[in-house]
Amino acid sequence: MEQRPPRARRRKTAPTPPPQARLAEALGLEGERMSRVDTAWLRMDSPVNLMMIVGVWILRPGITLEALRERVRERLLPHRRFVQCAREDATGAHWRDDPDFRLERHVVARALRPARGSTAEQALQARVAELAMQPLDPAHPLWQFELVEDHAGGSALIARIHHCIADGIALIRVMMGLVDGGDAPPAKDRPAPGQRHGLDAAEEWLADSLVRPLGSLTARALDLAGGGVARSLDLLTAPQQGLSAGLDQAVDLARLGGQLVSDLGALALMPDDAPTRLKGQPMGRKQVAWCQPIPLDEVKAIGKGLNCSVNDVLLACVAGAIGGYLRAQGDDTQGQEIRAMVPVNLREQADDGQLGNRFGLVPLVLPIGLENPIERVYAVRERMNALKGSLQPLLTFGLLSVAGLLVKPAQDALLGLFGRKTTAVMTNVPGPAARLSLCGATLEQLMFWVPQTGTVGLGVSILSYGGGVQFGVIADSALCPEPQRIIEAFAPEFRGLLAITLMLPWGAA
């Protein structure tokens, strides 16, 4: 019988990926999609302004690098964003786990020795300013902690986190998780059920940007305009219920439409800001300064005496300090005002544990030309009241969403409009009322600064913590070479306002 030759074995080949997967790979659409707003922040870095949130913690006694790394490993790394890289691709950007993540790259130590004639605090301020313009490594997760183990009888921790990871409200919660007794971090979080990747995620991301602009975040923003208007959102998202909505909701909708038209016009027609020496072209070199805390109880006493909020009092002091600084430089500030962009939180309660950016901006006009402190407080109060119920935070959030859809040159052109209309970015954040500790050391002071965008060269931060209020400034050296002078004007402004308030007759305000 003729014997057949053995049949050659067929070599197993890997299954051919479907066309959709091949297209996603060709376009670089991998990992978890980044939101359009976070994408805008990722691409907003410029040679003169980096989009990093920078913070400083002063600790006594000192802590060790090993203790800090262990705490970060336990409390920070369970948040996935801190072990992921940000990658731009054909339709925006995505998050991808860093295959070469090393904690030692992100938590480092540095020795600071003050120059002759300078203090330890001045040396720390100089280092913070230097780091504020030192880019984070884009090949790895966009954050870094630098520990000065020996600083003024304790330690100092400088934290830098890129704004695309989260906004200030979310990051404060994350950082508070590092302290002794802080909230436990999430179990190593994973993408939410149904989270899509690659081309599917890009399609969903684009649809969400253009087709589904109204959602829970929008409802939260509309709540700024009043509860009735927020409830009227049901008519927009579920029109089948409109038959039983009644006249009240129709009136609310009409008011909503009028508010939207008014606020959109106010943003679109906002004139360029006053041409003070604080406006101009930044050069990309920063200076930072901060003051010692002032008692929060005294701020509250002024507010009660003048029938104003704590924010009104603090912002009036900021306006007074900036105006005083400009007059000390020989500038005439009579009748002058400057505009500061102030973040407004748009998060819902259910959103509290989420990272990412969920805030809008409102333009606040500061009356720097008013030298009378009482008159200035009431002017700030009037302007703050005028912003209540405004939909401008929603509109600016929408603008950032649109910017995240555009190519970078178009995004820069769109957001550059705000640079001409704004002198400063200002944040006012309430921190913990009680003093905290980290790795057994007391957290004596903390300060942070949000980044300035475009050609804005001045950042102002107000933070309450442990019964005190702290005021900090970060500025481009070309526009404000000595921000310490603004800081030095803040305490006298506050003390003067306190003295006048105490001298007012009972019930005069």
Side-chain angles (χ1 to χ4, degrees), residues 454-477:
T455 58
V456 177
L458 182 66
V460 179
S461 297
I462 303 171
L463 178 70
S464 62
Y465 166 69
V469 179
Q470 197 154 351
F471 173 53
V473 172
I474 184 168
D476 190 274
S477 297

Side-chain angles (χ1 to χ4, degrees), residues 75-119:
R75 302 282 186 88
L76 189 68
L77 298 192
H79 298 277
R80 288 185 310 119
R81 290 289 180 262
F82 290 88
V83 293
Q84 290 181 316
C85 306
R87 294 282 186 265
E88 294 189 49
D89 54 44
T91 65
H94 62 268
W95 297 105
R96 189 176 185 182
D97 291 345
D98 183 0
D100 187 31
F101 179 83
R102 285 182 288 165
L103 183 60
E104 294 76 15
R105 183 185 290 119
H106 296 273
V107 183
V108 300
R110 180 183 179 89
L112 283 184
R113 292 180 176 81
R116 179 174 297 179
S118 65
T119 65

Side-chain angles (χ1 to χ4, degrees), residues 236-248:
L236 302 177
T237 56
Q240 68 275 11
Q241 300 175 5
L243 293 176
S244 59
L247 181 61
D248 288 344

Side-chain angles (χ1 to χ4, degrees), residues 392-471:
Q392 291 183 22
L394 170 61
L395 294 173
T396 54
F397 183 86
L399 184 66
L400 286 169
S401 297
V402 171
L405 287 169
L406 303 175
V407 295
K408 180 170 170 50
Q411 172 182 314
D412 292 343
L414 178 63
L415 298 180
L417 297 174
F418 283 98
R420 297 197 302 270
K421 302 175 186 297
T422 306
T423 293
V425 176
M426 182 177 297
T427 57
N428 186 356
V429 176
R435 290 204 170 190
L436 306 173
S437 60
L438 175 69
C439 301
T442 300
L443 178 53
E444 298 282 355
Q445 285 182 259
L446 67 154
M447 197 66 229
F448 77 101
W449 296 268
V450 296
Q452 303 83 61
T453 60
T455 58
V456 177
L458 182 66
V460 179
S461 297
I462 303 171
L463 178 70
S464 62
Y465 166 69
V469 179
Q470 197 154 351
F471 173 53

Side-chain angles (χ1 to χ4, degrees), residues 250-316:
V251 171
D252 285 337
L253 273 179
R255 184 160 65 92
L256 169 61
Q259 185 73 52
L260 279 171
V261 171
S262 173
D263 288 337
L264 186 59
L267 284 176
L269 301 176
M270 193 165 52
D272 290 352
D273 211 0
T276 68
R277 67 175 59 236
L278 299 175
K279 286 287 296 174
Q281 180 58 49
M283 299 302 292
R285 186 170 179 269
K286 301 288 187 181
Q287 299 285 345
V288 303
W290 57 81
C291 68
Q292 294 300 309
I294 60 175
L296 181 58
D297 286 343
E298 294 182 5
V299 181
K300 292 179 177 179
I302 294 175
K304 184 176 181 181
L306 298 179
N307 192 27
C308 295
S309 71
V310 168
N311 281 344
D312 296 337
V313 173
L314 293 173
L315 294 175

Side-chain angles (χ1 to χ4, degrees), residues 17 22 28 50 66 82 99 104 155 188 217 238 265 274 276 317 319 328 334 354-355 373 411 468 470 498:
R22 293 202 302 272
L50 297 179
E66 292 73 18
F82 290 88
E104 294 76 15
S155 296
K188 195 76 173 180
L217 181 60
T276 68
C317 290
Q334 186 173 3
Q354 300 298 315
L355 296 181
Q411 172 182 314
Q470 197 154 351
L498 178 62

